[in-house]
Amino acid sequence: MLEDPLVLARLQFALTAATHYMFVALTLGLAPYILGTQLVAVLRGDRSRMLSVRLWGGLYLVNYGMGVLSGLVMELQLALNWSGLHEMFGYTFAAPLAIETMTAFFIESTFLGLWIFGWDRMGRWAHLFCFTVVTVTAYSSAWWVLISNGFLRHPVGFTMVDGVAHLTDPVALMTNPAAVFAFLHVTSSALLVGALVVAAVSAYHLLRGEDPHRIFRRGMRFAAVVMTVMPFVVVTFGGLQFQIFGQDPPTSGLTYTAAEVEEIESAARSTIATTASTTGEIVMITAWTLMFFLGPVMLLAQFADLLNPLRWLPNLLPRRGAGRRTLAGRVPNWLRPSRWGLTLLLFSPFLPYLASVGGWVFRETNRQPWVVVHHLTTADAVTPMPPGAALVSFTLFTVAFAALAAVTYRLLVRFARLGPEGSPLAERREEGPRETPEPVHTF
């Protein structure tokens, strides 16, 4: 395997894309919750909710910074390793990526900077508007990226001129069903990632009894509602994508004839691709099954105090009995059902990540041996390079992404544990009284 540049390039892109998606999903999942919380805080003048915005906004900031770095690394390896794709489809596949970089990305970064440094320096509505733009452009970035991805699976809106694809119908490109369904599926699943990250952080602080501003109780309620409703939405949009599986794109025949397509696909069938596809499907289905049950359980847990027998059973015992005293005041914390549930929630964010990556593997391996279905094979899209160069590229990019992922995880866990007082956006406190400056004499 290490002697085949094609295998190394494919494995490298799979690792970088899966790692980058971890940052993207959390960005898309946290942004609406932060925006909604800040809107309520502005309308009510609620300081506790604004502290919540500072906490989740600090995690968003750390994740966003690492997402930018990983995105730059991924685009670099995409340009270096897949020159055949850009030579043939640079005017179509790369166009939405250029729009995403030049518009949505820079606008998002600019307004995020205004939001970060605008605390207590601009009006509350102007400050809220800044994060509204951040949220809209974050989803706009996802939209343009998925237009490019949808084009690979269901190429539309172009014609071939001397072996190079030229865009002829931008509307068809932007309304491509492969892109629309993928966008709705990815963004709705990202809400599950954000909800379970909120739930995990909230569970950690509730286990420690740290919630003076009710930030984490509100977070648990939000996560419970999202996890109860959104899995049905996510699965619906995911299921709609199956109608494209096995369907010939409308541009089929512009590059290869039907007989040539059949010959290429027959020769490229491999046990490895089938195994990867099956494994991805199993991981996806298992994770989604667990999440379908998790939401209702979390919602019921909001009424745990009413359903907990340790709360009402002492009232059925004699008033002066030893059993009543034991149940009423001496029950160890580790015996309380709610503590077990909160502990399990600490690991819950792994579920939507596993489901998303498993679904992505299933979706993309079913597209093989094509990079652009019925137009460009994976073998023709990869950059010609010696095995040594491919191995060096694979090693460097894999190490870089592993380091970025480890640093991001460490920072997110650290700031999540510190709570609102330790957030990167926490309020600054004056350490002592300000000294009155001495008058400056002028002449």
Side-chain angles (χ1 to χ4, degrees):
M1 183 182 73
L2 297 181
E3 297 178 355
D4 189 349
L6 175 59
V7 174
L8 286 172
R10 291 176 63 182
L11 183 59
Q12 177 182 320
F13 186 80
L15 292 174
T16 53
T19 305
H20 177 63
Y21 177 76
M22 294 172 62
F23 307 124
V24 173
L26 185 54
T27 296
L28 296 175
L30 274 182
Y33 181 56
I34 297 170
L35 180 63
T37 303
Q38 185 169 0
L39 175 61
V40 175
V42 168
L43 291 174
R44 296 184 179 181
D46 190 336
R47 183 177 178 275
S48 68
R49 280 185 168 82
M50 195 56 74
L51 289 175
S52 177
V53 172
R54 289 181 180 271
L55 168 64
W56 305 118
L59 298 182
Y60 181 94
L61 174 61
V62 172
N63 180 77
Y64 179 83
M66 291 302 179
V68 170
L69 290 176
S70 66
L72 293 175
V73 174
M74 189 178 74
E75 289 195 2
L76 178 61
Q77 68 93 34
L78 180 62
L80 292 176
N81 288 357
W82 303 97
S83 59
L85 173 61
H86 298 289
E87 290 174 0
M88 188 171 183
F89 288 95
Y91 295 118
T92 50
F93 164 78
L97 294 180
I99 296 174
E100 185 268 339
T101 301
M102 299 302 295
T103 57
F105 175 75
F106 283 111
I107 294 173
E108 182 181 4
S109 300
T110 300
F111 277 87
L112 182 60
L114 291 173
W115 186 75
I116 293 169
F117 298 105
W119 288 91
D120 305 321
R121 290 182 174 87
M122 63 173 64
R124 57 181 182 173
W125 289 104
H127 193 246
L128 175 65
F129 173 76
C130 288
F131 200 79
T132 302
V133 176
V134 170
T135 303
V136 171
T137 49
Y139 278 78
S140 175
S141 295
W143 165 249
W144 289 113
V145 170
L146 289 169
I147 284 179
S148 292
N149 181 266
F151 175 84
L152 299 180
R153 178 161 201 86
H154 195 71
V156 295
F158 71 94
T159 186
M160 299 298 296
V161 179
D162 297 328
V164 177
H166 289 262
L167 184 64
T168 57
D169 191 351
V171 175
L173 181 68
M174 291 187 289
T175 58
N176 187 350
V180 174
F181 294 149
F183 173 77
L184 295 173
H185 180 66
V186 168
T187 53
S188 56
S189 65
L191 293 176
L192 301 182
V193 176
L196 287 182
V197 168
V198 170
V201 176
S202 300
Y204 173 81
H205 287 277
L206 290 175
L207 282 169
R208 296 168 61 90
E210 301 170 348
D211 194 19
H213 304 288
R214 300 184 63 81
I215 293 173
F216 305 112
R217 288 181 178 84
R218 288 194 294 267
M220 291 296 291
R221 288 198 295 268
F222 163 78
V225 172
V226 171
M227 291 303 302
T228 302
V229 176
M230 290 309 297
F232 296 96
V233 178
V234 177
V235 171
T236 299
F237 290 133
L240 290 174
Q241 297 182 72
F242 279 93
Q243 67 184 12
I244 304 174
F245 279 33
Q247 182 185 111
D248 292 343
T251 56
S252 183
L254 292 179
T255 306
Y256 294 101
T257 64
E260 291 173 329
V261 168
E262 177 63 28
E263 182 181 354
I264 292 172
E265 292 181 344
S266 298
R269 292 191 179 98
S270 67
T271 305
I272 296 177
T274 303
T275 303
S277 175
T278 304
T279 303
E281 185 178 14
I282 292 173
V283 171
M284 174 183 64
I285 293 175
T286 303
W288 278 117
T289 301
L290 293 174
M291 282 191 287
F292 265 106
F293 290 102
L294 180 60
V297 170
M298 290 177 63
L299 199 62
L300 288 174
Q302 302 302 312
F303 306 98
D305 286 340
L306 297 178
L307 302 176
N308 188 355
L310 299 178
R311 176 185 177 92
W312 49 262
L313 187 58
N315 296 326
L316 303 180
L317 299 177
R319 291 187 177 182
R320 298 182 180 275
R324 180 186 181 92
R325 290 195 302 271
T326 300
L327 288 175
R330 299 182 182 179
V331 177
N333 284 335
W334 62 270
L335 283 177
R336 299 179 186 273
S338 59
R339 293 191 64 84
W340 286 99
L342 292 175
T343 303
L344 292 175
L345 281 178
L346 297 177
F347 306 95
S348 62
F350 291 105
L351 287 176
Y353 280 127
L354 288 173
S356 298
V357 173
W360 176 76
V361 170
F362 172 74
R363 183 176 187 267
E364 297 303 314
T365 51
N366 275 278
R367 176 159 52 92
Q368 295 304 314
W370 304 102
V371 166
V372 181
V373 174
H374 290 187
H375 295 283
L376 181 65
T377 65
T378 309
D380 292 332
V382 72
T383 301
M385 66 181 79
L391 182 59
V392 170
S393 175
F394 172 80
T395 303
L396 291 178
F397 279 104
T398 302
V399 170
F401 262 68
L404 285 174
V407 171
T408 304
Y409 176 79
R410 180 70 183 89
L411 289 175
L412 288 174
V413 171
R414 178 176 181 269
F415 287 120
R417 286 177 174 176
L418 291 175
E421 291 78 13
S423 170
L425 299 177
E427 293 179 333
R428 295 181 178 179
R429 297 181 180 179
E430 298 291 341
E431 296 183 357
R434 293 183 178 179
E435 296 182 0
T436 304
E438 297 182 0
V440 178
H441 299 284
T442 59
F443 297 93

